Each structure stands twice: as C-alpha cells, then as structure tokens.
Amino acid sequence: METLRDFERDLEEMREYYSHGKTKEASWRKTQLKGLLTLLKEKEGDILNALKQDLGKHQIGILIKTLNLALDSLRGWMSGRKAKLPQIALLTSAEIVPEPLGLVLIISSWNFHFGLSLEPMIVALAAGKTVVLKPSELAPASASLLATATSTYLDNKAVKIIQGGPSVGEQLIQQRWDKIFFTVGSAHVGRIVMSAAVKHLTPVTLELGGKCPAVLDSLSSSWDIKVAVKRIVHGKFGCCAGQACRAIDYILVEKKFTRTMMELMKSMIKEMFGENPKESPSIARIINKQHLLRLKNLLKDPHVDASTVFGGSVDKDNLFIEPTILVDHPLQAEIMTDEIFGPLLPIITPEKIEDSIQFINSKPKALAIYCFTKNKTLQRRMISETSSGSVTFNDTIIQYAADTLPFGGIGGSGFGRYRGKFSFDTFSHEKAVTRRSFLTEFWFRFPPWNNHKFQLLAFTFNYDYLGLVLVILGLKSYRQGLNDI
Amino acid sequence: MVSVEKEMKVFDLEAASSMVKELRDEFLSGKTRSYEWRVTQLKNIIKMSEDREQDIVKALHSDLGKPEFESSIYEISMLKNACTLAIKKLKQWMKPEKVKTSLTSFPSSAEIVSEPLGVVLVISPWNYPFLLSIEPVVGAIAAGNAVVLKPSEIAPATSSLLAKLVGEYLDNSLIRVVEGAVAETSALLEQKWDKIFYTGNSRIGRIVMAAAAKHLTPVLLELGGKCPAVVDSSTNLKVAARRIVAGKWGCNNGQTCVAVDYILTTKDVALKLVDALKHELEGFYGKNQLESKDRSRIVNSNHFARLTKLLDEDKVSGKIVHGGERDKANLKIAPTILLDVPRDSLIMNEEIFGPLLPIFTVEKVENSFDVINSGTKPLAAYLFSDNKKLKEQFVMAVSAGGLLINDTIIHLTVDALPFGGVQESGMGAYHGKFSFDAFSHKKAVLYRSFAGDAPVRYPPYTNGKLKFMKALMSGSILGVICALFGWSKN
C-alpha cells in the first residue's frame, strides 16, 4: 500500500517528466494509443474474465472505436484553429492552440469499469497529459488487471495506476492536479472532490448520476410498442442490472396503458433472461452485499412491497436480485428519492403523458431522459421544458455510443462533458495566440489623448471603416468635445 | 436640509434565498427562452451605455480617477461591441447544432441543443467595474439565463450607478443587482446557483469555488497572475517600448489583470529598453508624470500601501531607475521602472497590479521561458521579437491563458478568441461566442427510429451476438459482415 509520501514523490516525478515535453509530441501520443489498442486485443480474454468476475459486461468495442477515432483525428485535434479577425486588424493573426493541461487524476466507477477507466485515459493521453488512474476497489479483478496491463503496454513514467479504497481516494484528491476527472456517481462524493479541488484551483469534470426517467407515450403500431418495451427492459435490466448512471431509473406511462405495457414487459424479461433469471448468464449481479442490502431495504417499505407486481426475490448469497417491477407505489418512498442503481423498476402512471414533464422537473436534473414517442409536439416540449444531460428519443443508453455527442450532466448529475473530441477539449487548455506586426499601428491608441484621437479610436472600435476615413479627412466628428470632469 | 432616511434593508441569507427563489420561478416561466426577450435586454444595454455614457464616465472617474478616454473606449465601447456581436449572432448561436451519427446508432439523427443554465451569479471586480460587470451579464442574458450581479464595493460610485441603471433599463424580474461587501457576498454564495462567474483574485476565487462545491455549481473564474513581457534583442525597441507603456500605465495604471507585470530581457537590451521606455513615458504623460490626468489613480489607500511596500523593500528600493515618486493624499504613484530586481523580492513574486515595472535580466533570452514556467501560470504572456524560432519556442513552451506576440493587451479585443486563464489564473473562458457557451448547457439530443431493431443487441447473449456487437461498436463494417457469417475477423 502506497504511503502519502510515495504518492507525492511519484507525482513530482510525473510532473518533472511532463515538463520535459515528451508527452506533447504527436509521436509519443500515438505510441500510447497504439499500446492501448494492442492491450485490448492481446488481453481480451483476461479482460472478459475480469469483467465477468466483477460484473459481466463487455465494453471493449466502444474503447476500440475511441482509440481509432483518437488515432485518426489526432493531427486535426492537435493543430488548433485559426480565429477570424476584423479587417482592421491588418497584418495580425490569431489562433487557438490546444495545450495539454499537465497531470490529470481519473477516478473511475466500478460499474463499467474498463470503459469508464480507459475511455477518459485514452483521450487524456491523446491530449498529451500524464495520467494517474484510481480504479474502483469494488471491482478488484479489473483494477489489478488494469494495473499490470498498463505497466506493460504504456509509458510507465507518464501513466500510473494507484489502487485502493476511499482513504486512498481522499489522499489523492488533496494533491495538486491540473485536472480531475471523476465518474463515481454520487453527488455527495462529487461535492467532496470539488471541495478538495479548490485548494489548487483544479478544474474538475464530474460525471455523476441521477434518476434517469423513461417516458412511454402511446404508440399506434404494435411493432413500435414491442420495440419500445424491449428497449426499456434492456435499458434497465440489461444494463448492468440497472447499476449504471445512464440506466433507466423509473418509467412514466399513462394510466390506461399500464396493464398492456406490464404484460409486454413480463414477456420481454422472460425472453431475454429466461424463466429463471438467476440462471441466466445475461444478467449482471449486484456488485456487493452493501448495495444488495441497500436495494433490499428499498423494497422492504410495506407500501412499496405492496406495489410489487413482478419479481422481488433477493438471493443474498449469490448477490442476485430478480428483475422487479413496482406500480403506483407512494411517491415519497425512498425508492423515488434516491437513485436506485439496481434492477428495481418503479412505474409512475400519470393521467396524461404530458404530466410527465412536471413530474420530471420536480426531481433533480438527471444525466439522461429517455422518451418513447412519435408525437412531435411532445418531443419539442420534452427538449425545451425539461433539463438533463441529454435526451434520447425512442431508445435508451445508446447516446453514449455516439461520439459526436457530448456526454455529461447538469445540476446534480454533474458538469463537464466527454466522448470523442469533447474529451480532448476537456483535457486541453485552449490557449489564445495572437501575433502582431510592427508595421501597422493604431497611433491614436496612445496618450496623450485628445478629441481627435478619441474620435478615431471610437470608430475603430466599432469597425466603422467609413466613419474612420471621414474623421481622418476631417469630414465627420464623433462628439462635440471631451467634457471637463 | 434634512433627507428622509429610508429603512436600510439588510441583505441577509433570508433575503438572498427569497431573491433566488423569485428569479428561479420567473426563469421557469420560460420568459428568457425567447429570442425577443434576450435581444430586447441586449438592445437596452446598448441604449443604457449610450444614454448614460457621461454618468458612467463620471462614476469611473470618481472610483479610479480613470481618464475619460479609457472609460469610453476600454469600458463602454468594448461593452457595446460585445452586445452588438451578440445581437448579430444570437439566432445562429441559439440554433441546435446538427451532428453526424454513426453506424452504431443507425438509423438516427442527433443534435446539440444550447439550453440556459438557469439562475447565475456574476461577481465583478473594481478595476474595470463597468465592463467586467456587464460583459458577463451580456453572455448570461444571450444564453437565456436569469442573472444576479454583485459589483465590487471597492468601486462604490460605479456599483450604485449599476444598481440604478439595471433597475431602469433592464427586466428586473430576471436581472438584479445586489450591492454590498463581504456579508452580502457571503449570503449570495450560500445559495444554489446554476453557475457562478467570478472575476478577481485567486484567494477569493477559492472561496467562491468552495461555496460552489457545496451545490455542485460549475464556476468560471477569471483570476490574475504575473503577466510577463519578454523583450528580445531582435525587436524594434521603440515600438515595443510604446506598446509596453500602453499595456502597463495606459491600462488603468497597471491595475489590469492582463497588464504587463514585469519584463524579462537580456542585460545588453535592458539599458536600451529603459531608455526607450523613459522616452515613451515622456511622450505619453509629459514631464510631470506623477500628476498626469491621462492615468488612473491607485484605487484606494490599502492598495497604495501594498504598492509602496513593494517599492520600499530593502533589496529593491535601490533598483529604481525611473519614477518612484508618490502622492499619498491623492493616491498617486509615478510610473516607476526598476532594473535588476532580485528573483526572491516581493515585487517579483506577488502580482503587482499597479504602476511599477520591474525588469529582470537573464543570461540568454531563452532562459526567460524557464523563469515564467517556474511561477504560476499567468493570464497572459507577451513576447517582443523578430526571431521566428524564438516565437515558436515561446508558443510551445509558455503556458498562459493567452499569448500575444509583439503587442500587449489587444488580444482581448478579438472576440473570436477565448479569454480565460489556466491553473492559478483561472478556469473557463469567455468573450464572443465563448460567453454564450459559458452560460449554456449543451444538451445532447438523439432521435432514434423504431425501424431497424437488431435482435443482436438484446439478451440472451451468445458468442455470435458478442462478436457482432463488438464489431458494430468499433465501427468495423468488415467485422460486422464477418460476424454475420460467423467468421472470425482474424
């Protein structure tokens, strides 16, 4: 176990290494990215094993896509862009140059462990940074795999994995970083991280969670209804058994469609997970006993218990909770105040689907809102009258796969964004660079000031070229004169 | 003459909390979402700046002794430009941005929608109390937010004028000014905001960020730093000196976050530079530079004491090569140049924010970059040079909010460039569209179709499905085809 002094020494060495400029070179960055690609290909078996041990989810495909995107786009991302100048700025050029921020701390969550650890790391390396990753201690198999694999495939002086629990995390956030990237979900811990970042004025990106609602409107085609329900079931129970920041937390459906939807859901669950879901290899376990007990307690509330219409059984020894559905439970029950993060699906049944908007707005802002509807008015209202990290129509979760879309929260679900180029920008400082010439001058910029200079400069500032010419020719005056003060 | 005393309402936690609630309710009514509302406010800001220009100039003169020229050009004109740009571009900025979607989410369409954050707090400084109060407010309004502005109590005339003008010209149901000092600012910081925009020093910046952390409020901090100007022997010393003088004493008498704080140059250039600077100073301010009306005064006696302490430090007091005169009663210090100050002097380690210009000499001009990088990252860094290689080295090696080669300050006027710091000089950026973005939430919206629903996505998972999904997620069409046929890609 590393001591505080060990960390501080390691970090000093990493800062020293960064200051030599090696990580800024395009060739270094490409080498790291290719190293990660090789890691994913050669260690695929080990990764899948580790993930199964921890939770059983595959995330390799998205990582490979991000790596390929970073490799293809690196030159473009690194080169910065020219800034347009007004005509009066003769012989002047301006550009925005992306600069690596230096040393970044990535703290990742246990649920999509590989993805949430490596995804930000890939782009941090593409942005030329040195990286310390603290993987979650709740997923030990993948944490230790990450540690050994990265030391083989990446530049050890620039990338370090530090394993450990909350106390290690606490010590790490007190150090001086150039950026902290945090994806562990709870707003409470998000506050602790941001408060620690204050000491060194470290910018943070917080990818937190929230209660992501799915709104199911009436759909006319039976195919559409089937697909919608399938996607909802998948977006809850098929997504790490609901243990994902972007998994569906609860559903809103009009009262009169509840029964139909319920029956469809039950048959979908059977189709996906079999008659006895506990035996199915396609559904994830609960990460540990503590979370299992937390979820069990949510169900224990007698009113909640009474509204359970499907599932509900808990197997403590195997860390398994059956896909569970509740209908019309009391809204002030704990299951409706905190993020569920598990395979319990409450269904709220407003009279009219439009009432969902008010309900969603009564809760803290979520990372994502999912809305199944073909009604263009409802779509427009959903976008403009609610606020969330993102909105996806007619599907769930998949917005993460679109790396042209920023992924991030708002309010209690966090701030900052990543994926694709947004990650690169998150890890870069956009440095404004302007170059002037000695040949052109705005001589009226300099004191001592008089009315004439004043007039010229006022027109210059307003880009009023004609006015400028007229003043110079003595044909126009801006003001009567400087007032004595 | 007896004036009727109005009952002074204390702006405490309760007052702050109920104000925020009022603003939030009004924001939720949707009023700020409309293009018309935003443009009306922006047009009113321009009107306010034009109608009341003389009042603004008077207030700035009262607070800072700021010459009318600086007030009209560097504060009012710059603000009007920001408004004009926002009005011109607002429709475009407000439009959702369509983005490409990939094979993985086919068929689908996607866009990024700019959404106002909600109710935001702007805390502004005393040095450009008009511009640095209203310019961030312009960004907040353009992005459709409700705004509370807390101007600095160290510039009291401008603070009360702002309260009056905002009350008269803008929509008070959504835009407010709260005047006051520590107590009022603390009451405001206890509230839950959707963003806090702070311009000032890093000590208070930390207090603001700590308060924001309690509510997970994102912050934009425009702080300061020691902005260096490196002068190379290849440069045109006359023009460089003129631009340095303009970027130091011509900018609120050095009390500007991006003013040239100190100079780095080689020994052979230093003396020539001092002469050139003296020459330009005389050209600008005449023989009696202490009394010149074309320079702002020091803002108050606290800062006057702080600056004289820097000058009177033993290791530095003998290094004055120009100026040094002071007039305590009128809060004036003459333009002062110091040569060869020691690296460990106070004046080389604290942000000066005043009319003192130390010159620090190095063996080779490239060593300047090490000196700069050994300190905290500044908001701006300047280089005067004709040497192409040195310029490229400068851009690569020096990390600062922004870099300007062969001039000072004016990069702020380019609204296509982000203005902001890095590390100790701040986080986030604004100006132009960057202001709009700073006060917006970029919401990702994905529209999917019910058609084309691939069963491979759903459990029960099989090896075949796994292969297909991996190929699909990694965007490999060949992989997808192979998977469909049950072949391995290798």
Side-chain angles (χ1 to χ4, degrees):
Chain A
M1 223 25 156
E2 286 208 47
T3 62
L4 184 60
R5 223 172 302 143
D6 290 334
F7 288 154
E8 288 174 356
R9 196 195 49 223
D10 281 344
L11 295 182
E12 251 333 292
E13 279 170 19
M14 289 179 85
R15 271 186 218 112
E16 179 75 33
Y17 188 64
Y18 172 79
S19 69
H20 292 317
K22 185 116 190 265
T23 69
K24 290 187 185 176
E25 293 165 20
S27 56
W28 181 88
R29 304 184 201 195
K30 276 207 166 94
T31 309
Q32 305 314 304
L33 296 176
K34 289 190 174 139
L36 280 170
L37 258 178
T38 314
L39 185 169
L40 290 176
K41 292 201 170 109
E42 289 181 2
K43 294 285 180 184
E44 188 183 323
D46 290 343
I47 295 171
L48 288 177
N49 266 339
L51 290 174
K52 253 206 212 96
Q53 269 184 54
D54 291 332
L55 270 185
K57 279 275 93 191
H58 52 268
Q59 307 132 41
I60 300 181
I62 295 191
L63 290 173
I64 293 181
K65 184 147 183 262
T66 306
L67 278 164
N68 285 326
L69 175 71
L71 279 165
D72 290 338
S73 319
L74 193 62
R75 189 182 288 274
W77 289 354
M78 280 176 73
S79 63
R81 55 194 200 270
K82 290 241 170 284
K84 200 161 157 241
L85 292 172
Q87 284 153 300
I88 201 156
L90 290 169
L91 296 180
T92 304
S93 73
E95 56 172 345
I96 301 171
V97 173
E99 184 182 77
L101 280 169
L103 184 55
V104 66
L105 171 65
I106 299 175
I107 302 182
S108 61
S109 172
W110 50 260
N111 53 349
F112 284 91
H113 205 201
F114 250 78
L116 290 178
S117 299
L118 288 184
E119 171 84 27
M121 189 197 283
I122 289 170
V123 194
L125 292 169
K129 301 172 74 70
T130 48
V131 182
V132 169
L133 168 67
K134 182 201 155 322
S136 173
E137 73 282 8
L138 297 182
S142 37
S144 67
L145 176 58
L146 272 168
T148 40
T150 48
S151 67
T152 317
Y153 293 88
L154 297 175
D155 182 344
N156 280 338
K157 298 207 201 76
V159 182
K160 286 205 178 2
I161 313 282
I162 297 183
Q163 296 188 68
S167 65
V168 168
E170 267 166 39
Q171 286 179 52
L172 279 173
I173 58 179
Q174 299 299 332
Q175 304 304 312
R176 183 166 67 87
W177 304 97
D178 298 294
K179 177 96 188 189
I180 297 178
F181 188 97
F182 179 81
T183 62
V184 184
S186 107
H188 168 69
V189 188
R191 284 186 200 97
I192 295 175
V193 171
M194 190 172 167
S195 302
V198 170
K199 188 157 147 215
H200 299 287
L201 285 174
T202 304
V204 299
T205 291
L206 302 174
E207 297 278 332
L208 309 176
K211 292 180 80 62
C212 300
V215 176
L216 180 58
D217 189 17
S218 60
L219 297 161
S220 46
S221 135
S222 64
W223 167 263
D224 290 353
I225 298 174
K226 241 179 115 202
V227 172
V229 173
K230 196 192 290 185
R231 289 175 178 176
I232 288 173
V233 167
H234 181 244
K236 175 70 165 186
F237 307 111
C239 194
C240 210
Q243 299 167 102
C245 51
R246 54 197 124 109
I248 295 178
D249 190 277
Y250 65 98
I251 301 183
L252 293 139
V253 65
E254 262 179 23
K255 230 183 214 6
K256 54 185 192 264
F257 298 121
T258 316
R259 182 161 285 275
T260 324
M261 193 202 67
M262 277 301 314
E263 295 310 311
L264 256 176
M265 279 183 105
K266 288 182 194 172
S267 74
M268 286 296 170
I269 292 174
K270 279 205 185 74
E271 200 180 293
M272 289 190 197
F273 307 114
E275 284 294 335
N276 191 359
K278 201 164 31 165
E279 321 271 306
S280 163
S282 302
I283 190 167
R285 297 286 177 271
I286 307 304
I287 184 68
N288 64 16
K289 263 212 174 68
Q290 187 195 351
H291 278 277
L292 184 117
L293 287 172
R294 177 184 65 80
L295 290 163
K296 191 165 175 220
N297 281 335
L298 292 179
L299 288 175
K300 264 215 269 250
D301 178 329
H303 297 293
V304 171
D305 190 38
S307 52
T308 305
V309 296
F310 184 83
S313 72
V314 175
D315 181 346
K316 230 173 28 180
D317 300 318
N318 289 306
L319 293 177
F320 181 76
I321 297 181
E322 228 192 320
T324 303
I325 305 178
L326 314 103
V327 181
D328 283 336
H329 50 282
L331 297 176
Q332 58 274 35
E334 219 181 308
I335 202 170
M336 279 313 291
T337 48
D338 290 338
E339 190 177 355
I340 296 169
F341 227 71
L344 318 177
L345 181 61
I347 301 183
I348 317 283
T349 57
E351 290 296 334
K352 288 191 321 234
I353 199 66
E354 287 78 8
D355 297 341
S356 311
I357 293 180
Q358 198 180 2
F359 188 87
I360 291 172
N361 287 340
S362 70
K363 302 234 158 281
K365 299 181 187 186
L367 195 51
I369 294 177
Y370 303 109
C371 183
F372 290 83
T373 182
K374 278 180 146 163
N375 179 336
K376 292 255 184 289
T377 308
L378 185 61
Q379 285 185 355
R380 264 198 307 274
R381 283 192 67 192
M382 199 51 80
I383 296 176
S384 61
E385 292 178 37
T386 66
S387 181
S388 58
S390 64
V391 180
T392 300
F393 290 107
N394 303 330
D395 209 332
T396 61
I397 304 173
I398 200 165
Q399 73 273 21
Y400 185 81
D403 50 37
T404 48
L405 281 175
F407 184 80
I410 183 173
S413 51
F415 51 77
R417 52 211 192 144
Y418 74 122
R419 293 291 288 132
K421 179 153 197 298
F422 301 105
S423 298
F424 187 84
D425 294 341
T426 287
F427 290 116
S428 303
H429 161 55
E430 293 203 304
K431 188 162 72 178
V433 180
T434 313
R435 297 155 211 264
R436 281 266 290 147
S437 155
F438 283 118
L439 295 176
T440 55
E441 187 61 277
F442 304 114
W443 53 272
F444 36 85
R445 217 174 123 185
F446 306 112
W449 291 304
N450 54 44
N451 202 30
H452 184 60
K453 281 189 183 178
F454 201 157
Q455 292 172 355
L456 285 172
L457 200 55
F459 278 117
T460 307
F461 254 86
N462 295 330
Y463 306 133
D464 185 347
Y465 303 119
L466 180 61
L468 197 57
V469 169
L470 291 175
V471 168
I472 291 175
L473 292 175
L475 295 173
K476 189 177 172 115
S477 79
Y478 175 66
R479 289 163 26 146
Q480 293 298 78
L482 294 170
N483 288 327
D484 280 2
I485 293 163
Chain B
M1 198 157 63
V2 176
S3 58
V4 176
E5 275 191 21
K6 265 199 266 187
E7 192 193 292
M8 289 294 284
K9 269 211 206 128
V10 172
F11 189 82
D12 55 9
L13 277 174
E14 208 187 304
S17 165
S18 72
M19 180 189 68
V20 173
K21 184 169 183 315
E22 268 173 51
L23 289 169
R24 202 172 288 287
D25 287 341
E26 192 65 26
F27 170 77
L28 288 171
S29 76
K31 204 167 170 197
T32 66
R33 300 278 182 153
S34 85
Y35 170 79
E36 286 72 28
W37 180 85
R38 303 182 199 190
V39 167
T40 306
Q41 302 313 305
L42 295 174
K43 285 192 170 145
N44 286 346
I45 291 177
I46 295 185
K47 191 166 191 306
M48 167 182 105
S49 313
E50 285 174 351
D51 290 352
R52 311 295 281 264
E53 183 170 345
Q54 283 311 304
D55 289 336
I56 298 167
V57 167
K58 256 203 195 93
L60 290 169
H61 191 265
S62 161
D63 286 331
L64 290 155
K66 196 172 272 207
E68 176 172 0
F69 189 94
E70 285 193 44
S71 301
S72 278
I73 302 299
Y74 296 154
E75 297 226 31
I76 300 174
S77 288
M78 283 204 47
L79 175 71
K80 277 164 49 180
N81 271 3
C83 281
T84 310
L85 178 76
I87 292 171
K88 185 166 163 211
K89 301 275 185 165
L90 192 60
K91 263 213 173 82
Q92 195 185 326
W93 292 350
M94 282 174 73
K95 253 204 296 205
E97 181 196 332
K98 293 241 169 282
V99 293
K100 272 189 4 207
T101 53
S102 65
L103 184 64
T104 328
S105 57
F106 181 82
S108 61
S109 68
E111 58 186 7
I112 302 174
V113 171
S114 293
E115 188 181 82
L117 289 168
V119 183
V120 305
L121 173 64
V122 173
I123 301 177
S124 58
W126 53 259
N127 58 343
Y128 288 79
F130 182 73
L131 175 69
L132 296 181
S133 295
I134 305 293
E135 191 169 4
V137 167
V138 165
I141 292 172
N145 297 281
V147 192
V148 172
L149 167 65
K150 157 73 190 65
S152 173
E153 70 280 12
I154 299 181
T158 313
S159 172
S160 71
L161 179 62
L162 280 168
K164 198 155 153 250
L165 293 181
V166 167
E168 281 173 34
Y169 285 83
L170 302 179
D171 180 350
N172 290 139
S173 67
L174 289 153
I175 306 168
R176 303 264 178 96
V177 173
V178 172
E179 289 195 78
V182 177
E184 289 77 6
T185 310
S186 306
L188 286 170
L189 287 174
E190 282 295 306
Q191 309 309 314
K192 178 170 169 24
W193 303 94
D194 297 298
K195 184 129 186 178
I196 302 179
F197 185 109
Y198 170 76
T199 310
N201 67 58
S202 59
R203 186 180 69 85
I204 309 286
R206 283 179 170 79
I207 294 175
V208 170
M209 189 173 167
K214 296 205 194 105
H215 298 287
L216 285 177
T217 299
V219 297
L220 200 162
L221 304 175
E222 293 275 329
L223 309 175
K226 291 181 76 60
C227 301
V230 178
V231 181
D232 177 38
S233 55
S234 66
T235 196
N236 177 333
L237 266 183
K238 190 167 165 30
V239 179
R242 189 178 307 152
R243 292 174 180 182
I244 289 171
V245 171
K248 175 76 167 187
W249 297 283
C251 268
N252 207 24
N253 205 14
Q255 299 166 109
T256 304
C257 49
V258 286
V260 175
D261 187 280
Y262 67 104
I263 294 193
L264 288 157
T265 190
T266 47
K267 286 191 179 357
D268 54 315
V269 173
L271 286 169
K272 288 186 255 174
L273 179 62
V274 169
D275 283 337
L277 287 167
K278 283 186 187 182
H279 178 82
E280 295 304 324
L281 276 168
E282 196 175 314
F284 282 23
Y285 305 115
K287 289 255 190 279
N288 185 357
Q289 291 166 18
L290 179 66
E291 297 303 323
S292 167
K293 280 219 300 233
D294 280 334
R295 277 188 318 130
S296 301
R297 62 154 206 270
I298 307 304
V299 67
N300 63 20
S301 49
N302 281 347
H303 282 272
F304 185 88
R306 181 183 63 79
L307 288 162
T308 48
K309 183 162 164 233
L310 294 180
L311 271 185
D312 293 340
E313 194 188 8
D314 280 337
K315 38 182 117 169
V316 147
S317 54
K319 306 284 185 183
I320 298 176
V321 293
H322 180 85
E325 302 91 357
R326 333 124 192 228
D327 174 358
K328 194 169 170 187
N330 292 308
L331 294 174
K332 288 187 186 238
I333 299 179
T336 302
I337 306 175
L338 307 97
L339 180 56
D340 273 333
V341 291
R343 186 77 182 83
D344 59 351
S345 53
L346 280 175
I347 204 172
M348 276 301 287
N349 286 285
E350 286 177 19
E351 186 176 358
I352 297 169
F353 226 70
L356 320 176
L357 182 65
I359 300 179
F360 186 77
T361 51
V362 288
E363 282 300 318
K364 289 187 311 181
V365 75
E366 290 83 357
N367 296 351
S368 311
F369 305 156
D370 298 325
V371 174
I372 299 172
N373 288 335
S374 71
T376 57
K377 299 185 185 189
L379 194 47
Y382 305 107
L383 169 69
F384 287 89
S385 170
D386 228 353
N387 179 330
K388 190 160 183 241
K389 190 155 165 268
L390 192 68
K391 290 187 213 177
E392 290 321 309
Q393 253 182 300
F394 178 68
V395 173
M396 279 304 290
V398 174
S399 179
L403 301 180
L404 176 49
I405 296 178
N406 292 335
D407 210 331
T408 58
I409 317 273
I410 62 160
H411 60 300
L412 259 72
T413 63
V414 180
D415 49 50
L417 285 175
F419 177 63
V422 60
Q423 242 185 34
E424 203 70 16
S425 51
M427 53 178 85
Y430 74 125
H431 281 187
K433 182 165 190 287
F434 300 98
S435 294
F436 180 84
D437 292 342
F439 286 106
S440 299
H441 165 53
K442 301 289 180 175
K443 186 157 76 176
V445 180
L446 181 66
Y447 298 86
R448 280 269 287 155
S449 159
F450 287 113
D453 190 46
V456 289
R457 237 179 103 182
Y458 306 109
Y461 299 126
T462 61
N463 267 336
K465 281 190 184 181
L466 179 58
K467 275 205 181 76
F468 184 91
M469 277 307 287
K470 267 174 51 190
L472 190 67
M473 292 302 252
S474 64
S476 158
I477 299 192
L478 180 62
V480 166
I481 296 174
C482 289
L484 277 173
F485 282 104
W487 298 335
S488 160
K489 205 167 142 228
N490 300 318

